Amino acid sequence: MGAMSTRRSPLATAVLALVCESPMHAYRMQQLIKERHQDDVVNVAQRNSVYQTIERLLRDGLLAIRETTREENRPERTVYEATETGRETLKQWMRTMLSTPAREFPEFPAALAFLPVLRPEEALAALRQRIAALEARLSALDTEMADSLSFVPRLFLVESEYQRAQVATELEFARGLADDLSEGRLTWDFQI
């Protein structure tokens, strides 16, 4: 297949970036993503997805096996490293991801598009739950960022800054929509 046909994804980008940083095994990749709170932007909930991504990157020549080791009663561990093609592909992906807005399809705008499925009071109740969750997330991000800035350069927190801006904007929107529903400025008397 080759590097040009490799499908770019946040997880593939993370895997390549990690092995460019240092050769490592899959479990360490998943650990680092979680330790660095990058699991907020890269889905590693299923360990199998990391292994599937590694297999795809190996097949396409972006990763190579550096070594396979076995320690006493532990399973074999395969350590991966980026190929030169993998390093160049990662740089190209990064330039594209930074420069070109992508069409993404998150759930919240889809729910907004089909709001009349619910009665106005049901929508308001759901929005109030979302507002509480967004307030908690915003508070957690503020705490994480304040704590991290004491020992991590800002460069490694820009994704948290972006997430914070997104959460704050969504929270402002959700509060306004909830106010409009509770005050009767937005209502409907039909249900899909």
Side-chain angles (χ1 to χ4, degrees), residues 6 15 23 30 47-48 53 89 105 112-113 123 151-152 158:
T6 301
V15 166
Q30 190 172 24
R47 189 180 318 167
N48 195 39
T53 299
T89 299
F105 301 96
L112 294 172
F151 63 90
V152 175
V158 292

Side-chain angles (χ1 to χ4, degrees), residues 86-151:
R87 289 177 186 281
E88 289 306 312
T89 299
L90 175 62
K91 289 177 185 178
Q92 181 56 46
W93 286 355
M94 288 296 297
R95 286 189 287 270
T96 301
M97 291 164 61
L98 286 170
S99 67
T100 309
R103 284 190 65 193
E104 298 171 325
F105 301 96
E107 289 183 355
F108 185 54
L112 294 172
F114 301 103
L115 208 51
V117 167
L118 301 175
R119 295 185 320 272
E121 59 274 12
E122 290 176 302
L124 178 59
L127 279 170
R128 286 183 174 149
Q129 287 179 329
R130 184 177 201 91
I131 289 166
L134 290 170
E135 288 169 341
R137 180 68 182 130
L138 194 60
S139 177
L141 280 168
D142 286 342
T143 300
E144 287 172 18
M145 288 172 57
D147 291 348
S148 296
L149 276 173
S150 65
F151 63 90

Side-chain angles (χ1 to χ4, degrees), residues 5 17-18 21 31 35 39 48 64 66 80-81 93 106 110 128 141 170-171 177-178 180 191:
S5 63
L18 287 169
E21 191 178 307
Q31 251 183 338
E35 284 174 17
D39 55 332
N48 195 39
R66 181 176 193 156
Y80 302 94
E81 62 186 355
W93 286 355
R128 286 183 174 149
L141 280 168
E170 185 177 325
L171 178 57
L177 187 58
D180 288 346
Q191 203 175 346

